[in-house]
Amino acid sequence: MTITPQGAIFPNGEQLTWQNIEKIKKSQVNCFVVEQGTIKAIQVFSEQTNRVCSLLPTKGTPSMLIAGFTMHRIVDIDPLQDTLKKVATISPIVGRVLDTATGLGYTAIEAAKTAEQVVTIELDPGAQQIARLNPWSQALFDHPKIQQIMGDAFEVVSTFEDESFSRILHDPPVFSLAGELYSGVFYQQLFRVLKRGGRMFHYIGDLNSKSSGTISRGVLRRLQEAGFSRVVRRPEAFAVVAYK
Ligand SMILES: C[S@@+](CC[C@H](N)C(=O)[O-])C[C@H]1O[C@@H](n2cnc3c(N)ncnc32)[C@H](O)[C@@H]1O
């Protein structure tokens, strides 16, 4: 990048004025696209879900905000480190992997490094639009092992064959945004599509907090009722891991 008295010039010729650099610096909650000398916040209103999705800057890898909720841990941890912790709970990542909630694709991209195939599902076209504009999500669109499906995981998972995945990454939004993804009926479907000997990561939230503690008790019970032989708390990943 070249710095001039007028601003900055990117290697591709795009220019950014000092005034726009100031605006970007002041914004705590938005990332921007620079196009033909203008800046545009990476933010969309999703007609399908009536929610605003945006790319949230952090000190490291960006996160996504949906209806004001961050889709990754960002306090004292970078979304990429958060992703590594999530995926490590069900290592080794082998065979076909189901990723129930694509988001920015970080879990899908990490899993694709060793999996045979990753099938990832996203409900919200707005979230997908944000991922398209995020440089850290690009493998989602061009990694040959990643298959993206747009739809509601609650419906899509019921169409998969029995025992067709070795690992499941279940990383839903908070309970208040996606309660059905924490339901016994959905857990029965996840159990059905998981191979015997398979493992499932399930993000819940800080298990030591009051609200997530309460949610986790219900989750543990419903997972056991769905048939999982063992469910283990993994507080370091804000999650539980279920074994079939
Ligand atoms: C916590 S984020 C997933 C983060 C992702 N694992 C990553 O690494 O970036 C949850 C995502 O699930 C999506 N979502 C919400 N409800 C869904 C549903 N019923 N089916 C599929 N995706 C859903 C949201 O739009 C959001 O993008």
Side-chain angles (χ1 to χ4, degrees):
M1 185 185 294
T2 315
I3 304 295
T4 70
Q6 286 74 39
I9 305 172
F10 290 96
N12 65 356
E14 260 316 330
Q15 299 195 18
L16 199 53
T17 61
W18 286 114
Q19 204 185 8
N20 281 338
I21 291 171
E22 267 309 308
K23 277 192 197 156
I24 293 171
K25 185 165 174 275
K26 271 200 200 133
S27 167
Q28 303 282 316
V29 293
N30 280 115
C31 295
F32 294 82
V33 182
V34 184
E35 232 169 33
Q36 293 171 354
T38 63
I39 57 169
K40 205 167 149 244
I42 300 180
Q43 178 165 316
V44 297
F45 174 75
S46 174
E47 306 245 327
Q48 181 155 336
T49 55
N50 274 332
R51 290 172 182 161
V52 175
C53 307
S54 62
L55 196 63
L56 177 75
T58 73
K59 282 196 182 121
T61 326
S63 180
M64 179 160 56
L65 274 182
I66 299 184
F69 291 93
T70 57
M71 293 292 123
H72 308 88
R73 288 171 64 192
I74 53 166
V75 179
D76 298 330
I77 189 167
D78 177 76
L80 210 52
Q81 290 170 305
D82 173 39
T83 303
L84 297 179
K85 276 186 196 285
K86 288 171 178 169
V87 176
T89 61
I90 54 165
S91 73
I93 300 288
V94 288
R96 279 185 93 216
V97 176
L98 169 62
D99 181 50
T100 58
T102 312
L104 290 179
Y106 295 162
T107 46
I109 293 167
E110 186 55 34
K113 290 180 182 165
T114 55
E116 210 176 281
Q117 193 198 14
V118 179
V119 177
T120 182
I121 310 168
E122 174 58 57
L123 172 73
D124 194 338
Q128 193 192 44
Q129 250 176 290
I130 300 297
R132 266 197 197 282
L133 294 170
N134 177 23
W136 285 266
S137 301
Q138 287 323 291
L140 192 54
F141 303 95
D142 51 31
H143 197 301
K145 286 186 186 166
I146 300 181
Q147 184 198 348
Q148 287 191 69
I149 299 177
M150 291 308 292
D152 184 341
F154 193 84
E155 287 160 17
V156 175
V157 172
S158 69
T159 67
F160 295 142
E161 284 181 18
D162 291 359
E163 312 227 345
S164 48
F165 294 96
S166 305
R167 298 283 183 271
I168 298 177
L169 286 157
H170 183 36
D171 189 13
V174 286
F175 186 78
S176 56
L177 282 189
E180 76 285 2
L181 300 185
Y182 294 72
S183 68
V185 178
F186 189 57
Y187 294 162
Q188 283 165 17
Q189 288 301 317
L190 293 173
F191 180 79
R192 184 184 63 76
V193 301
L194 186 62
K195 278 191 193 327
R196 209 156 284 282
R199 301 169 194 182
M200 174 171 79
F201 160 89
H202 183 345
Y203 179 87
I204 291 173
D206 185 357
L207 298 183
N208 297 319
S209 78
K210 204 169 163 218
S211 59
S212 295
T214 310
I215 290 169
S216 74
R217 278 192 291 280
V219 167
L220 283 165
R221 181 178 46 77
R222 290 191 295 281
L223 286 172
Q224 273 153 357
E225 285 170 0
F228 289 96
S229 59
R230 200 156 62 93
V231 186
V232 180
R233 299 169 91 252
R234 297 298 295 264
E236 82 286 3
F238 282 25
V240 297
V241 171
Y243 294 82
K244 179 166 175 179

